[in-house]
Amino acid sequence: MARKSNRRKFLRAAGAGVAAGVAVSGSLAADAAESSPTGKRIKILGISGSPRKGKTTAAAVAAALEAAKAVDPERIETELIELAELKLNGNLAAGIPLEPGQQDDFPELAAKLAAKEVRGIIIGSPVYFGSMTSLCKAFLDRCISLRAKQFALANKVGGALAVGGVRNGGQELTLLGIQAAMLCQEMVVVGDGRPTAHTGATVWNSGKDDISQDEFGMSTVRNLGRRVAEVALMGSGVTKAG
């Protein structure tokens, strides 16, 4: 008798869980519809975490965005943001206030990231001692405010990109650090797509601030951009044109 009672309780709990899951799915679908009211356009942001404006990381992120837009030029809008142009104080993530007279550009950037039309975010960083730059880390730390605000980045598609001074100079470790922050935001993390299909885009800077000769690395960049775009379109209820 006790076993039958426990079974009934389990079935009731399971039914409640299914209902909750359906409710969540419906909520996500509603969010997607609201984010793309015409069913036509979405936006993908590219973030360059290099302190050197306009150099190889920015070039790689721009190439990924170009590949993303090529998936469906009529429905996808892209924007490159270079953190080198912004003032970001990572200490604010720990509640340490700005000094008198200091400025910070994160609030404006946060509004862009949280916008409903933004369905994909590609974050790139140079490799510094096997990890991301302090600027990129400060940016990711500051995104704690978006997590606190009802997970404003949840279900946006995230892709990571890393540029190293040698072929195997810590790119994969840098990707994992960026992706860990994305997972904490409940983002949908993807790697570079087929045919390379690994953890993300890994690029080699030959030392002359030129990544164009790295054919394999640039293929991962393009595959990453395409993959982010394809999943972002699916998540927004917009299918690829064709």
Side-chain angles (χ1 to χ4, degrees), residues 136-198:
C136 188
K137 185 64 167 65
F139 160 70
L140 292 172
D141 285 349
R142 291 295 302 280
C143 286
I144 191 173
S145 63
L146 294 169
R147 189 177 189 272
K149 294 179 180 178
Q150 300 180 336
F151 285 82
L153 301 183
N155 303 312
K156 296 181 189 289
V157 182
L161 179 158
V163 181
V166 294
R167 164 57 65 198
N168 302 108
Q171 285 93 328
E172 286 82 3
L173 289 173
T174 301
L175 296 180
L176 292 175
I178 296 171
Q179 290 167 342
M182 290 177 169
L183 289 170
C184 290
Q185 298 282 357
E186 287 195 348
M187 295 179 69
V188 179
V189 179
V190 300
D192 54 307
R194 304 174 191 176
T196 50
H198 290 99

Side-chain angles (χ1 to χ4, degrees), residues 20-234:
V22 171
V24 170
S25 297
S27 175
L28 294 179
D31 286 347
E34 184 179 353
S35 70
S36 185
T38 63
K40 293 292 184 181
R41 299 189 66 82
I42 65 170
K43 190 169 186 178
I44 297 175
L45 297 179
I47 310 292
S48 172
S50 173
R52 300 193 308 144
K53 181 178 180 295
K55 297 298 184 179
T56 51
T57 300
V61 175
L65 291 176
E66 183 179 0
K69 187 172 181 62
V71 171
D72 198 328
E74 293 187 359
R75 297 181 182 181
I76 296 176
E77 178 185 354
T78 62
E79 180 181 353
L80 172 64
I81 298 171
E82 294 200 55
L83 299 184
E85 298 180 311
L86 305 179
K87 293 182 179 179
L88 299 177
N89 190 322
N91 290 341
L92 288 175
I96 301 173
L98 290 172
E99 295 290 336
Q102 281 188 329
Q103 295 180 338
D104 189 82
D105 294 321
F106 185 77
E108 184 178 350
L109 177 55
K112 281 191 174 186
L113 293 166
K116 288 188 176 294
E117 66 269 18
V118 172
R119 305 305 303 172
I121 301 172
I122 298 172
I123 299 175
S125 174
V127 179
Y128 283 12
F129 289 99
S131 188
M132 70 186 79
T133 65
S134 60
L135 180 58
C136 188
K137 185 64 167 65
F139 160 70
L140 292 172
D141 285 349
R142 291 295 302 280
C143 286
I144 191 173
S145 63
L146 294 169
R147 189 177 189 272
K149 294 179 180 178
Q150 300 180 336
F151 285 82
L153 301 183
N155 303 312
K156 296 181 189 289
V157 182
L161 179 158
V163 181
V166 294
R167 164 57 65 198
N168 302 108
Q171 285 93 328
E172 286 82 3
L173 289 173
T174 301
L175 296 180
L176 292 175
I178 296 171
Q179 290 167 342
M182 290 177 169
L183 289 170
C184 290
Q185 298 282 357
E186 287 195 348
M187 295 179 69
V188 179
V189 179
V190 300
D192 54 307
R194 304 174 191 176
T196 50
H198 290 99
T199 52
T202 56
V203 190
W204 171 42
N205 176 6
S206 64
K208 299 179 181 179
D209 282 336
D210 179 17
I211 56 175
S212 64
Q213 301 304 310
D214 181 12
E215 295 182 5
F216 175 78
M218 291 308 295
S219 70
T220 67
V221 166
R222 292 187 290 270
N223 292 339
L224 177 70
R226 174 179 51 78
R227 181 65 177 155
V228 169
E230 289 173 347
V231 178
L233 286 172
M234 288 189 290

